[in-house]
Amino acid sequence: MENKIVTHIFFCVSLILLAGCSTGNTPEPYGPVPAPAQLEWQKMEYYMFIHFGPNTFTDREWGTGGEDPGVFNPTALDCRQWASTARQAEMKGIIITAKHHDGFCLWPSQFSTHTVRESPWREGKGDVLAELSLACREYDLKFGVYLSPWDRNQPAYGTAQYNEVFANTLAEVLSSYGPVFEQWFDGACGDETGSPYDWELFHAKVRKYQPDAVIFSDVGPGSRWVGNERGMAGETNWSRMDTSGFTPGKNAPPTSMLNSGNRHGQLWIPAEADVSLRPGWFYSPSTDSSLKTVDELMEIYLGSVGRNANLLLNVPPNRTGRISSGDSLRLMEFKRRRMELFSTNIAESARTEASSVRERNSGRFAPGNITDSSYDTYWTPREGKSAASFTMFLDREETFSMMIIQEYIPLGQRVARFQVEYINTSDDLWQTIAQGTTIGYKRILTFPPVTSSVIRVSILEADAPPLINNVELY
Ligand code: FUL
């Protein structure tokens, strides 16, 4: 009988413990959080921008819209070459200027008379969007489209009726070429008066035909312009922003705000940094020898992906309709540099301890989650504790000069200030190697090389208990 009771008690206790382990007590989200599509988008990190159209052939950046469609005549257009280049460069997708400010449509739009159909290319039977979307599928890349609301060719531009034309144009593109991961709305407009845009209508079309597309503009709502065309996010970069009172274009938020977001913003609008491999957005033979260097690209990468922003790197195809060999070579050199720098993560087998752990007994939020290479497990301190630290013990002394650190953003962005220290073996004292403000989805810190086996990360200020899901050392 006694045995039975003991077994029963043991059984109940086990059940309670098991329930504690499996359900745990997940922290409440803090502030706005990414929609599932925004999270998937953020994980892409790096993808290709393609500027291609009449400007490619006329040496212009902003076409007038009055160009003869006859100028558009690539002799060997090959979207598979673009896709294979992007793939080999380890980019995750391609966004193409389906329609730039000159209004020329890279597909035979029924809402325009200024399209590939009016050009000599493939005797007017070609469709760049069809070829590129197919090539992206073949190379396992996501496909995105840029459409400029400012249109220097469309006769209705400047009137309310233009909104219908642009909405129809959007619907046509978004319903014809399969899944679109990002709809890029350019805010630029070179004329004073502009057109009274109906953004509600435009967004409704995107939501209708591509509900999972991230909508990019100066004010999101899916992703925001980073505030410059140099590919550099702010050292402080919140994925939160307040957009009320602002619109894309002339009434956009100040560039400083776009660059850093708003700490207490009400909306989740992460930054995307766009920059061109060449001095211009469109191809020109005059820029063949002025590509960004690998060092410059690395600086851009650290300033974008390394500062909680996605990197959209423009690689403009040339007049044959192919990416020039110099451009693709540079992309490969840049990839090699990243592979060299991030080849061996010396923190992979580190033992980690923390000053505070939520539900220490369940192990669910243990500091070991930081190095388990699973995205969805994280360390977090006890409820109410925003300042806390964790220490990593390496198997042996190692020399390193870079740290990658990630917050678990599905529950919001929290960290506002942190520092990294190491134990200096010569005097056994803690030395500070890096200090930072925001972390977000990903932060990459670089510092002069140090040699140590003990590294401590202290979260000094956070809006809610920090959730850290990954740290790597190189
Ligand atoms: C700007 C445009 O005016 C440029 O031509 C280019 O497309 C760049 C990405 O966005 O606003």
Side-chain angles (χ1 to χ4, degrees), residues 49 51 61-62 100-101 146 184 186 188 229 274 281:
F49 213 176
H51 275 68
E61 282 294 322
W62 282 4
H100 203 249
H101 309 319
Y146 161 118
W184 218 93
D186 198 328
E229 294 184 340
D274 60 327
W281 291 99

Side-chain angles (χ1 to χ4, degrees), residues 204-470:
K205 292 291 176 200
V206 183
R207 280 194 294 269
K208 176 167 180 195
Y209 294 104
Q210 297 287 341
D212 288 334
V214 164
I215 300 178
F216 168 97
S217 82
D218 293 334
V219 293
S223 157
R224 70 175 198 267
W225 185 46
V226 79
N228 62 65
E229 294 184 340
R230 289 175 284 110
M232 298 298 278
E235 261 193 78
T236 296
N237 182 15
W238 296 99
S239 290
R240 288 191 286 270
M241 204 166 81
D242 285 321
T243 57
S244 78
F246 296 117
T247 55
K250 293 202 172 76
N251 193 26
T255 51
S256 58
M257 175 169 152
L258 291 168
N259 205 230
S260 300
N262 298 133
R263 177 164 178 175
H264 302 293
Q266 296 301 305
L267 302 167
W268 186 269
I269 312 178
E272 181 188 80
D274 60 327
V275 61
S276 185
L277 181 59
R278 287 169 176 256
W281 291 99
F282 285 88
Y283 173 82
S284 161
S286 67
T287 60
D288 277 342
S289 51
S290 30
L291 308 186
K292 295 219 163 39
T293 63
V294 176
D295 284 347
E296 286 170 327
L297 290 171
M298 202 56 220
E299 204 182 311
I300 286 169
Y301 183 80
L302 295 172
S304 53
V305 177
R307 287 184 187 166
N308 188 34
N310 276 1
L311 171 56
L312 175 60
L313 180 62
N314 182 62
V315 187
N318 61 29
R319 291 175 184 170
T320 70
R322 293 173 61 88
I323 290 173
S324 299
S325 55
D327 299 44
S328 56
L329 212 62
R330 188 54 44 86
L331 293 179
M332 300 312 141
E333 289 165 353
F334 173 40
K335 169 179 135 179
R336 201 170 323 126
R337 170 75 65 86
R338 297 196 317 278
M339 284 174 71
E340 279 161 16
L341 288 174
F342 301 111
S343 69
T344 317
N345 169 18
I346 57 166
E348 205 174 7
S349 57
R351 182 172 59 79
T352 309
E353 287 176 4
S355 63
S356 166
V357 181
R358 184 185 180 93
E359 291 177 12
R360 203 181 270 279
N361 291 339
S362 81
R364 190 173 164 214
F365 306 105
N369 291 342
I370 291 172
T371 51
D372 69 356
S373 69
S374 149
Y375 184 80
D376 289 303
T377 60
Y378 49 88
W379 158 75
T380 184
R382 282 203 311 276
E383 195 60 65
K385 266 224 160 276
S386 293
S389 66
F390 59 88
T391 307
M392 309 183 87
F393 301 89
L394 310 182
D395 300 337
R396 66 188 87 83
E397 289 214 317
E398 300 270 10
T399 302
F400 51 91
S401 59
M402 279 199 299
M403 174 182 269
I404 295 182
I405 181 162
Q406 295 188 267
E407 265 185 273
Y408 188 65
I409 57 163
L411 294 176
Q413 188 181 354
R414 296 152 181 247
V415 177
R417 197 160 59 86
F418 68 104
Q419 73 176 17
V420 185
E421 298 153 290
Y422 72 103
I423 286 194
N424 186 352
T425 25
S426 62
D427 54 13
D428 261 359
L429 293 175
W430 286 107
Q431 297 280 338
T432 304
I433 17 176
Q435 287 174 316
T437 51
T438 51
I439 296 177
Y441 166 74
K442 185 174 270 189
R443 183 72 204 267
I444 308 178
L445 301 160
T446 57
F447 37 83
V450 295
T451 304
S452 178
S453 63
V454 187
I455 299 98
R456 178 167 70 189
V457 176
S458 302
I459 309 300
L460 303 172
E461 197 186 326
D463 294 330
L467 315 176
I468 305 295
N469 65 343
N470 186 45

